[in-house]
Amino acid sequence: MSVARPVPEPTIDSKPYWDGLKERRLLLQQCGNCGLVRHYPRPMCAACHSLEVRWIESSRRGRLHSWTAVHHPFVPALRDEIPYVMATVELEEGVRLQCQMLDAEAAALRLDLPVEIVFREVQDGLVLPFALVV
Amino acid sequence: MAASLNGRAAVVGVGETAYRRGSDRSALALQLEASLRAIEDAGLEPKDIDGLLPYASGAAVAEDFITNFGLEDVTFSATTPMGGASCVAAIQAAAVAVATGLCRNVLLPIGRRGYSDSRVASRVAAMPQFHVVSEFETPSGAIAPAQLYAPMARRHMELYGTTADQFAEVAVTMRRHAMLNDNAIMREPMTVEDHHASRMISDPFRLFDCCLESDGGAAVVISSAERAADTRRPVPILGVAEGHPDSPSVITQRPDITRLGLAKAAPRAFGMAGVGPGDVDVAEVYDCFTWTVICQLEDLGFCAKGEGGAFVEDGRIGLGGELPVNTHGGLLSQAHIVGMNHVCELVKQMRGEAGRAQVAGAEVGLVTGYGDLGDGSLAIMGAAA
Ligand SMILES: [Zn+2]
């Protein structure tokens, strides 16, 4: 008996991000005024306070900033995947995201390991980013 | 520069229920019981309470205390929604309220059934401060504090060589202190080997790196310095501050994930108190996880960033050491009352009423709060007159 993952509830500010994932594209917000890239999606640029936004596609290349191997089933939907590794990835664009790692052995991980972001449809209509050691 | 609160307010009463795993009382009843004890400890009566600062993420609101105590004219109420930093941040809000005369005696109550009712993963998911994590990280599998803080600890280990043995040193020290405390839940001896053998929760955190889930209530009463002079044994507040980390609602985007909001609060609180870390005789440090103690000792300025692991070695944070930490056993071994138990313990220390855990001649003590993904708060107190 499988339990569904918690499903995100996209907002006006974040909908393009989630729509992008469905198309297997990692979209990031870029300030329409000063060009600063930010993540996770939000309405305002903290540098210049502009509300103008454009969306750019990430290179999906990054480095491992930190990680944890999760052994306790805090998220019931992931009980069968334990232990799974959560990665904090610093993207080339200068922002980070947290996602699950594919085929990772926690003991072999180290800071700044090159990774790339790939996509998996984990359940009907929910495409998530995953990190893969390059 | 803000007006100083040094010497303008004092903690005049503390009250705690029995801390347990399992309670037949509601969370509201637990904090009413603790509140009565705190009011009585101050030598006051419920009708003297005219300010309320209930725990923001808790089971009760100001109205519940007005109703149950039959308070006729409460002139100040607020909440400080900072998770585990709330209780100590509430000391700052209370000090402002009594120093400016908005009210005379503020009650800071908390009560919870953390063991008997819903557990931490479902509690935090309901908190508005977690909405960024809930939308962008929980679908991928991250929700509980243990998971969210683990990458901070992992990076600290990789950058600075912090070790699991040093984590264990914190856990074992808290346990040793809890064994002196009749109101501590965990009083069986713990060794470093026991720590290393406990099951992995979210690497590098093992079970014994994580705080307890417990049931109980605690409360303090804070009054203006003038009012406090008439109470049984007031403890003066010398310095107090709160601090919010960069990227406060999501750790992942924080420029330095090993630096907490406390790093911003500490210089302000020490500056207000006119003391430095070297003057502190006893420290009650919010210990939701062992590593969190190590990181806060750095951010408080007891040692440089990266040196916290070495700092906790060699008995330095145990009773009899250079800086006794969590003399009551902390969240790790006494009980998880969101750090109000830490506030109560510091007041007892500053009164010389901490029993077998008393730090002889303690003149200056501090208590920290840590929560909501990195918010920090800090109060520095002096010895009771
Ligand atoms: Zn901008």
Side-chain angles (χ1 to χ4, degrees), chain A residues 31 33-36 45 47-50:
Chain A
C31 175
N33 180 48
C34 76
L36 187 71
C45 172
C48 75
H49 306 145
S50 169

Side-chain angles (χ1 to χ4, degrees), chain A residues 14 18 40 66 68 84 96, chain B residues 135 137 141 151 203 253-254:
Chain A
S14 66
W18 290 110
Y40 298 110
S66 195
T68 180
Y84 59 91
R96 302 191 198 126
Chain B
E135 179 174 357
E137 301 192 338
D203 168 58
Q253 309 297 341
R254 191 166 299 159

Side-chain angles (χ1 to χ4, degrees), chain B residues 275-340:
Chain B
V275 299
D279 299 310
V280 176
D281 301 307
V282 56
E284 316 298 352
V285 178
Y286 198 88
D287 54 331
C288 45
F289 298 94
T290 51
W291 174 78
T292 323
V293 174
I294 290 171
C295 187
Q296 286 177 93
L297 290 169
E298 297 169 351
D299 288 345
L300 284 164
F302 287 103
C303 56
K305 182 53 66 184
E307 293 175 1
F311 185 89
V312 302
E313 290 178 336
D314 305 322
R316 192 173 283 113
I317 62 168
L319 280 163
E322 194 180 305
L323 181 73
V325 171
N326 294 350
T327 44
H328 54 330
L331 305 178
L332 287 165
S333 277
Q334 189 204 20
H336 193 325
I337 312 295
V338 200
M340 194 63 91

Side-chain angles (χ1 to χ4, degrees), chain B residues 4-245:
Chain B
S4 177
L5 293 164
N6 186 341
R8 309 280 304 277
V11 182
V12 297
V14 299
E16 299 173 276
T17 67
Y19 298 148
R20 304 210 157 91
R21 288 174 152 171
S23 170
D24 53 10
R25 292 214 165 152
S26 69
L28 175 57
L30 288 166
Q31 53 198 306
L32 289 167
E33 178 188 342
S35 297
L36 273 181
R37 289 185 187 182
I39 293 165
E40 185 183 9
D41 179 53
L44 299 171
E45 292 180 47
K47 67 173 170 52
D48 296 319
I49 299 299
D50 57 359
L52 291 165
L53 266 158
Y55 176 54
S57 307
V61 292
E63 285 83 344
D64 290 316
F65 297 90
I66 294 172
T67 304
N68 282 277
F69 286 131
L71 303 178
E72 287 183 1
D73 195 10
V74 166
T75 57
F76 172 79
S77 73
T79 57
T80 49
M82 294 170 69
S86 300
C87 293
V88 175
I91 295 176
Q92 175 177 254
V96 169
V98 296
T100 52
L102 290 173
C103 59
R104 299 165 303 171
N105 306 302
V106 193
L107 176 68
L108 287 64
I110 185 167
R112 56 174 10 206
R113 291 162 51 85
Y115 181 83
S116 298
D117 290 348
S118 67
R119 294 301 183 90
V120 64
S122 52
R123 283 202 309 271
V124 299
M127 290 162 68
Q129 305 94 306
F130 274 70
H131 74 96
V132 180
V133 168
S134 296
E135 179 174 357
F136 299 105
E137 301 192 338
T138 301
S140 286
I143 186 167
Q147 293 175 282
L148 298 167
Y149 298 159
M152 304 161 82
R154 168 55 60 192
R155 188 164 172 87
H156 197 273
M157 295 172 93
E158 300 292 319
L159 284 177
Y160 303 119
T162 314
T163 65
D165 280 352
Q166 293 165 340
F167 290 13
E169 190 73 27
V170 175
V172 167
T173 305
M174 298 310 98
R175 181 60 58 88
R176 213 177 290 131
H177 294 171
M179 289 166 67
L180 302 172
N181 185 344
D182 293 338
N183 197 20
I185 290 172
M186 304 300 276
R187 280 181 279 175
E188 294 294 310
M190 184 201 292
T191 64
V192 170
E193 293 69 36
D194 294 334
H195 168 276
H196 291 350
S198 68
R199 73 188 167 90
M200 194 63 90
I201 300 295
S202 196
D203 168 58
F205 295 146
R206 295 181 175 278
L207 183 66
F208 289 172
D209 290 306
C210 304
C211 55
L212 306 172
E213 292 267 45
S214 25
D215 301 342
V220 304
V221 178
I222 291 176
S223 304
S224 67
E226 300 75 38
R227 289 252 149 199
D230 300 330
T231 61
R232 186 179 71 81
R233 201 149 165 70
V235 169
I237 296 163
L238 307 180
V240 65
E242 70 177 52
H244 299 262

